[in-house]
Amino acid sequence: MKLKSNSATCLSPQHQSHKSNHKWKQTVASIMLIASLSLTTFTSVSAEGKPSYNPLGPQETELFIDGFFAQPEIKAALKGAVVTVVQDQQIVLNKGYGYANVKKEIPVDANSTLFRAASISKTFTATAIMQLAEQGKVKLNQDISVYTDGLELANHTGTSLTLKHLMTHTSGFDFTDTATTARELNSSYPLEQFIKDHKPSVVRTPGEVFRYDNYGYALQGYIVQKQSGMPFENYVQQHIFNPLGMSDSHFTLSKDILERLAVPYNADGQELSQYPNVPDSSPEGGLITTGRDMAHFMLAQLNQGSYQGARILDPSSVQAMQTLDVSIHPDLPGTGYGFESTYSQYNHGRNVVSKAGDLAGFHSNLWLLPDEKTGLFIVSNSDGPDLREALFHAFMGHYYPDNQTKDADYSVSEAALRSYEGLYRDVRLPAWLYDISTTEKGLRVIDAYGTHTLTPVKDMLFRDEDGKLAGFKKNKSGEITYFYYNKSDSWSEKLPEAKLYTDVPEDHPYAPYIYRLAQIGLYPQDHPLFEPDKPVSRVEFVTQIVSISGMTLSNQSPKFKDTLSSPYAAYVQTALELGIVQGNTRGWFHPEQAITRQEAAVIISRTAQQLLGAPAASANLAGSQDGWAQEGVQFVVALGLYGPEVSVSSSGAVDYKSKQPMLRQESSVLMYKMLGTLLH
């Protein structure tokens, strides 16, 4: 059955990656920060109004970057930041802007203020792996079981999982992010224990599809420990930090480091509490560093692995790391060993490799232009509007303007265009969807940004109205299988059409919602009946909420006594740890009990507010609901997350029928509209 969507039903951040933290909010909401300002207005800064400058000079570069931060929109968005520019083995600029601590008015010092670099950590972990490969202690194409000291990972594919797969985010794991619970600053969680606690399974053929992989990089750090015979953080200190003179870089926290760490701020400008690395050394995201130290690392990467006479990598290893050849299309920058491509629409035809990182209150990005021997780094301490895209756009437009030749007209037959049509689901976050249909000369893509027009450039390569490329990949049978566009941390897979349920005809009022959710895998298709009028059980509803998160299921023993024997116990336990269910005071969950509409509303509102940071909402309610459910029902009604079962009076009051059981057809509307509204 083919259904046209009448609203966007997906998350759709423009960029992102990166390290998962202890709550889904810090996985999903940090991904969604990027489009909160109209950044194109920031990109016209040019010192003294002159044409592009190259090579960079210290005075002119400082003037240009100062001008960037002097813009009113940038100043309003800034708490604190460091910007570092290097070229031709020189530090051209290393300067702090704003405050490391706003309340105490402590300015950022680029040489001494510590920032969390987040997923830029992965580039250092990949560097350590490449060093071990040079020493003959590991082989990149060898099955990793040789290096994991008896750690067994289930592999259901028959294809070996290698270090190359881990480094390029093509492991094929079922889960790459963990929903670990919050930890106290003084608590300890060793890397080895973390790896054992959160073992995923290989369910896709390794090397087949790109899916950003935090666990895969934590696992590489574990392999570094095992093959070097020393803790990961000690290895990096001895073999990377010390040779490069990175005297103030760290992979573990201490009291001294915490005292000098920039204060993180949320999107509202409120101070966040400092938090521990999870695990302690966090090879995937635990790096804490300064602008000065990052300058040394960039200079080594731009000088074939050497900095001021100290060599950390052979030139061939540097070249391998910076070759972004794991891509959905040869003309689309892809992924290398610890590097990727962020905001590639501004590369202007030049070879650019980069790495971005995001944690609560900290956001970073480095870009290297190897042919120009130039590097750019920024890190900030606020979840407010993201400055990274604006900075890179301005920097490239000023110093390295577009030198690309215009694409020649490329026509695609109508039949070929139709082969791209369909619904595509992100392989990292199942809630993230693209609805693709044909136009007269190209493709129309609907996502949470709105509607985009893709014009063909080459076979399986398209360009949108803003110049951003999109690519497709075929399987061995020649069928379109994967899509990659404006969500940089994973590909999306083309979904088969949903099968018709015998009790849900195409003209059923809930059919569009039911079949779209069946298509994305939320409803099973192995039974001819859907039973739309059947009440939804509490465990069924919670399982669906957790399923769309894409999170690793909890491995903790179920806290609810009556879920111990349930096949969905891990889903309920994960929901408990994420803070979206509570149970009752006696420790019971009543999994098979029909969930009421007000209970479902409370779970949805908790998901949105606690995990995604959505604000509370009010609505004009009619009917009756319990006091504990008022806020949840108001939230769901205010956002219109209901179907034709709800009645609205002439005065606009909504009777949500709060105390009635939630039926399956009604739940389908709630879930569908949640994807299109809450995760928008």
Side-chain angles (χ1 to χ4, degrees):
M1 178 180 185
K2 188 158 188 170
L3 296 166
K4 293 294 182 183
S5 65
N6 52 22
S7 67
T9 59
C10 54
L11 290 169
S12 64
Q14 181 173 359
H15 168 66
Q16 262 339 117
S17 337
H18 300 114
K19 175 166 167 61
S20 165
N21 210 324
H22 60 270
K23 287 192 176 182
W24 187 25
K25 175 180 178 181
Q26 293 168 338
T27 300
V28 179
S30 68
I31 290 174
M32 298 172 64
L33 292 168
I34 311 305
S36 46
L37 280 182
S38 177
L39 298 176
T40 56
T41 61
F42 300 165
T43 60
S44 59
V45 178
S46 179
E48 302 177 3
K50 295 179 182 179
S52 63
Y53 295 80
N54 190 22
L56 298 82
Q59 290 183 333
E60 190 281 324
T61 301
E62 184 172 15
L63 182 64
F64 172 72
I65 300 297
D66 285 353
F68 175 84
F69 279 101
Q71 296 175 90
E73 300 92 338
I74 297 293
K75 291 179 70 174
L78 181 70
K79 284 292 185 287
V82 165
V83 174
T84 305
V85 180
V86 300
Q87 187 181 58
D88 290 335
Q89 288 303 290
Q90 299 294 323
I91 299 176
V92 178
L93 176 73
N94 184 42
K95 188 170 181 177
Y97 296 87
Y99 293 101
N101 186 315
V102 174
K103 184 178 180 180
K104 295 181 179 180
E105 296 187 344
I106 300 174
V108 171
D109 186 318
N111 292 319
S112 62
T113 301
L114 294 172
F115 285 83
R116 293 181 187 265
S119 281
I120 289 178
S121 309
K122 293 178 173 66
T123 310
F124 288 81
T125 302
T127 299
I129 290 290
M130 297 303 288
Q131 289 179 338
L132 294 178
E134 290 178 1
Q135 298 164 25
K137 293 182 178 179
V138 299
K139 294 180 180 179
L140 302 188
N141 291 315
Q142 178 84 43
D143 192 303
I144 64 166
S145 61
V146 177
Y147 309 123
T148 55
D149 193 27
L151 178 77
E152 295 184 3
L153 298 176
N155 188 334
H156 305 291
T157 69
T159 299
S160 292
L161 174 64
T162 69
L163 281 166
K164 180 175 181 178
H165 297 137
L166 295 182
M167 284 199 287
T168 57
H169 304 276
T170 57
S171 63
F173 286 147
D174 49 359
F175 296 105
T176 59
D177 303 295
T178 60
T180 55
T181 55
R183 308 186 72 86
E184 297 297 326
L185 268 173
N186 59 357
S187 65
S188 178
Y189 197 179
L191 174 59
E192 184 164 350
Q193 189 61 50
F194 176 88
I195 291 297
K196 293 177 179 178
D197 285 346
H198 300 283
K199 292 191 301 183
S201 298
V202 182
V203 296
R204 296 176 187 268
T205 302
E208 177 184 331
V209 58
F210 167 66
R211 171 181 175 171
Y212 197 85
D213 193 344
N214 283 306
Y215 183 89
Y217 267 83
L219 182 57
Q220 289 175 63
Y222 171 82
I223 290 172
V224 170
Q225 286 192 170
K226 293 299 179 183
Q227 297 307 305
S228 69
M230 65 178 69
F232 170 78
E233 62 272 23
N234 291 0
Y235 178 90
V236 174
Q237 182 72 53
Q238 183 174 328
H239 295 275
I240 301 176
F241 294 161
N242 289 348
L244 296 183
M246 298 177 67
S247 58
D248 211 357
S249 294
H250 319 271
F251 263 97
T252 54
L253 286 166
S254 67
K255 182 179 179 181
D256 173 66
I257 292 169
L258 281 169
E259 290 175 350
R260 296 189 296 118
L261 186 59
V263 173
Y265 297 90
N266 67 15
D268 296 323
Q270 298 172 330
E271 183 175 324
L272 297 172
S273 299
Q274 298 287 9
Y275 46 87
N277 285 347
V278 180
D280 295 343
S281 58
S282 286
E284 77 283 15
L287 175 64
I288 296 170
T289 190
T290 66
R292 181 189 69 87
D293 281 11
M294 285 303 302
H296 295 183
F297 181 73
M298 289 192 292
L299 289 169
Q301 279 284 335
L302 291 166
N303 192 39
Q304 299 296 300
S306 177
Y307 173 70
Q308 292 188 349
R311 177 167 296 282
I312 61 167
L313 287 173
D314 291 340
S316 59
S317 295
V318 173
Q319 181 63 40
M321 289 183 69
Q322 296 179 7
T323 302
L324 308 182
D325 59 354
V326 177
S327 175
I328 201 166
H329 190 280
D331 289 344
L332 259 174
T335 306
Y337 299 158
F339 284 109
E340 58 200 30
S341 179
T342 47
Y343 312 119
S344 61
Q345 65 269 37
Y346 307 128
N347 286 359
H348 295 167
R350 301 178 189 269
N351 175 29
V352 181
V353 297
S354 61
K355 186 72 194 81
D358 298 90
L359 281 172
F362 292 95
H363 305 279
S364 59
N365 222 121
L366 72 80
W367 295 270
L368 301 177
L369 287 79
D371 298 337
E372 286 78 14
K373 303 296 183 183
T374 300
L376 170 67
F377 169 75
I378 181 174
V379 62
S380 65
N381 61 331
S382 171
D383 288 339
D386 198 315
L387 308 180
R388 293 172 295 182
E389 179 181 2
L391 176 64
F392 184 57
H393 188 179
F395 185 86
M396 292 300 292
H398 184 66
Y399 293 106
Y400 302 105
D402 199 344
N403 64 0
Q404 297 181 95
T405 56
K406 189 179 183 300
D407 295 318
D409 291 338
Y410 184 82
S411 62
V412 179
S413 70
E414 183 179 348
L417 285 174
R418 282 200 300 270
S419 69
Y420 297 103
E421 287 191 322
L423 186 70
Y424 293 74
R425 176 183 60 196
D426 182 71
V427 299
R428 187 183 185 199
L429 187 61
W432 205 310
L433 307 173
Y434 295 97
D435 194 342
I436 298 180
S437 57
T438 58
T439 65
E440 184 178 350
K441 295 184 179 180
L443 300 175
R444 178 183 296 110
V445 178
I446 299 175
D447 59 25
Y449 278 140
T451 301
H452 316 272
T453 300
L454 300 185
T455 302
V457 175
K458 293 182 179 179
D459 183 36
M460 294 192 291
L461 185 69
F462 293 74
R463 190 185 303 276
D464 74 4
E465 59 277 3
D466 296 321
K468 190 168 185 63
L469 291 172
F472 293 85
K473 182 180 179 180
K474 294 179 179 178
N475 61 18
K476 294 180 180 179
S477 301
E479 302 165 322
I480 300 295
T481 308
Y482 295 111
F483 173 61
Y484 181 68
Y485 176 34
N486 57 3
K487 179 175 180 292
S488 67
D489 64 338
S490 55
W491 298 353
S492 293
E493 59 184 341
K494 189 176 183 181
L495 300 174
E497 299 293 336
K499 300 176 184 176
L500 282 174
Y501 296 108
T502 57
D503 55 353
V504 184
E506 292 187 46
D507 59 355
H508 190 285
Y510 294 87
Y513 313 109
I514 292 169
Y515 286 117
R516 184 49 54 90
L517 295 180
Q519 192 175 7
I520 68 173
L522 205 59
Y523 296 144
Q525 291 260 270
D526 56 357
H527 195 279
L529 297 177
F530 179 73
E531 300 179 291
D533 295 318
K534 180 181 177 180
V536 178
S537 71
R538 291 166 59 84
V539 72
E540 180 183 359
F541 188 83
V542 169
T543 297
Q544 291 169 355
I545 289 289
V546 173
S547 294
I548 63 175
S549 75
M551 278 288 190
T552 307
L553 296 180
S554 172
N555 61 0
Q556 301 297 313
S557 298
K559 297 296 189 293
F560 297 123
K561 304 170 186 176
D562 53 354
T563 64
L564 288 170
S565 60
S566 171
Y568 304 105
Y571 290 90
V572 178
Q573 179 63 26
T574 302
L576 175 66
E577 294 173 13
L578 291 173
I580 62 177
V581 300
Q582 292 178 343
N584 63 27
T585 56
R586 292 178 295 173
W588 298 90
F589 182 71
H590 301 293
E592 300 305 326
Q593 180 177 303
I595 194 169
T596 63
R597 291 173 58 83
Q598 65 181 1
E599 288 172 333
V602 168
I603 290 174
I604 290 295
S605 67
R606 285 178 185 160
T607 300
Q609 295 175 31
Q610 297 183 30
L611 306 182
L612 298 176
S618 60
N620 183 10
L621 298 181
S624 174
Q625 40 272 321
D626 291 324
W628 55 265
Q630 281 279 346
E631 184 178 348
V633 174
Q634 292 222 16
F635 183 86
V636 166
V637 169
L639 271 65
L641 308 183
Y642 53 80
E645 75 279 358
V646 167
S647 58
V648 183
S649 71
S650 58
S651 65
V654 176
D655 183 1
Y656 188 66
K657 300 179 173 61
S658 295
K659 297 187 178 181
Q660 294 183 13
M662 174 71 75
L663 305 183
R664 298 192 79 200
Q665 62 184 15
E666 298 166 0
S667 175
S668 71
V669 181
L670 183 60
M671 293 287 182
Y672 180 96
K673 290 189 174 182
M674 180 184 73
L675 299 184
T677 304
L678 297 183
L679 303 181
H680 191 122

